[in-house]
Amino acid sequence: MEPVLTIENLKTSFMTSSGEVQAVRGVSFTVGKGEIVGLVGESGSGKSVTSMSILRLLADTARIKEGKILFEGEDLTKCSKAQMRKIRGSKISMIFQDPMSSLNPLIPVGKQVAEMIRQHHPEKSKEEIKGEVLDLFARVRIPEPEKRYGSFPHEFSGGMRQRVMIAMALANRPELLIADEPTTALDVTIQDQILKQLRELEKQFGTSICRLSAQTDTCAIFGGQHET
């Protein structure tokens, strides 16, 4: 299977007043096209830092000390900030753990997803973009998409907010989707729904998924190929 993402001996550290803190120590794995990979590890093991390293969204105190992050053959560690802005949200997207802190509470959810599309496709009209957002809402099973388009995040349940985040992540049909424990704050029933839905969407969009989880049982639903 041709790899979309290849991580080779990734080492990421944080520079603190007390010295260097090694957060990721020599992680290597691959994600093939259309493959779902589970990256499993307890809290604090470096899963989120690994994902932030891929997207180059690390804090100013963090450094990628060694290794390669090959996305479709290109080493992301050598990309400029401008190049990474074009890749983020377009070719690589991410679903974060807490949708409430990721969504702007002052902007309707429909407009937030629409902005994600507009940023990467300024040639599209407002009508085209809104139509795509409504289609995405229907795909992630948000009821009454037209009505919900103008709703604010606080008007949604935790599960519905996470569906909005999934729609946002898939808005530009990325090649790779990173799901950073996207069901952590949800009850067990909703967790099961979200995970199964992600698998269905992976088949529809053909997107490769790297799923980060502290629990091996939730990863099993994805049929994860690798654990680290």
Side-chain angles (χ1 to χ4, degrees), residues 110-111 113-115 117-118 121-136 146 149:
K111 288 188 176 182
V113 180
E115 179 62 18
I117 299 173
R118 190 191 68 77
H121 298 281
E123 77 282 358
K124 291 186 177 182
S125 67
K126 288 184 179 180
E127 292 74 21
E128 278 184 286
I129 293 175
K130 183 174 181 179
E132 290 184 20
V133 173
L134 295 177
D135 177 64
L136 283 164
E146 187 78 44
Y149 184 92

Side-chain angles (χ1 to χ4, degrees), residues 85-93 112-133 136 167-175 205:
R85 280 196 294 270
K86 290 181 180 180
I87 291 171
R88 292 189 209 109
S90 176
K91 293 187 175 182
I92 304 176
S93 288
Q112 294 190 54
V113 180
E115 179 62 18
M116 179 66 72
I117 299 173
R118 190 191 68 77
Q119 283 289 331
H120 294 281
H121 298 281
E123 77 282 358
K124 291 186 177 182
S125 67
K126 288 184 179 180
E127 292 74 21
E128 278 184 286
I129 293 175
K130 183 174 181 179
E132 290 184 20
V133 173
L136 283 164
M168 188 178 292
L170 293 172
N172 292 300
R173 304 211 172 192
E175 295 296 321
F205 287 85

Side-chain angles (χ1 to χ4, degrees), residues 96-198:
F96 295 92
Q97 291 185 32
D98 183 7
M100 199 58 191
S101 63
S102 302
L103 292 168
N104 190 321
L106 303 177
I107 300 175
V109 294
K111 288 188 176 182
Q112 294 190 54
V113 180
E115 179 62 18
M116 179 66 72
I117 299 173
R118 190 191 68 77
Q119 283 289 331
H120 294 281
H121 298 281
E123 77 282 358
K124 291 186 177 182
S125 67
K126 288 184 179 180
E127 292 74 21
E128 278 184 286
I129 293 175
K130 183 174 181 179
E132 290 184 20
V133 173
L134 295 177
D135 177 64
L136 283 164
F137 279 5
R139 285 176 182 269
V140 299
R141 298 179 189 172
I142 293 176
E144 301 179 286
E146 187 78 44
K147 179 181 178 181
R148 289 298 200 171
Y149 184 92
S151 299
F152 290 87
H154 72 271
E155 298 178 277
F156 284 74
S157 66
M160 283 296 135
R161 283 196 292 268
Q162 197 58 282
R163 292 174 198 271
V164 172
M165 290 301 299
I166 294 171
M168 188 178 292
L170 293 172
N172 292 300
R173 304 211 172 192
E175 295 296 321
L176 176 66
L177 175 63
I178 300 171
D180 187 2
E181 300 197 50
T183 61
T184 299
L186 307 176
D187 63 55
V188 177
T189 304
I190 303 300
Q191 283 185 22
D192 184 57
Q193 291 176 7
I194 294 293
L195 293 175
K196 286 180 178 178
Q197 192 167 39
L198 276 173

Side-chain angles (χ1 to χ4, degrees), residues 1 4 31-37 95 136 139-141 166 170 173-179 193-211 221-225:
M1 185 180 294
V4 171
V31 182
K33 283 189 176 181
E35 184 180 26
I36 301 174
V37 171
I95 305 171
L136 283 164
R139 285 176 182 269
V140 299
R141 298 179 189 172
I166 294 171
L170 293 172
R173 304 211 172 192
E175 295 296 321
L176 176 66
L177 175 63
I178 300 171
Q193 291 176 7
I194 294 293
L195 293 175
K196 286 180 178 178
Q197 192 167 39
L198 276 173
R199 184 160 194 133
E200 290 174 11
L201 291 166
E202 178 269 329
K203 291 178 181 177
Q204 292 176 26
F205 287 85
T207 298
S208 303
I209 299 177
C210 180
R211 158 91 163 114
I221 297 173
F222 279 77
Q225 299 290 321

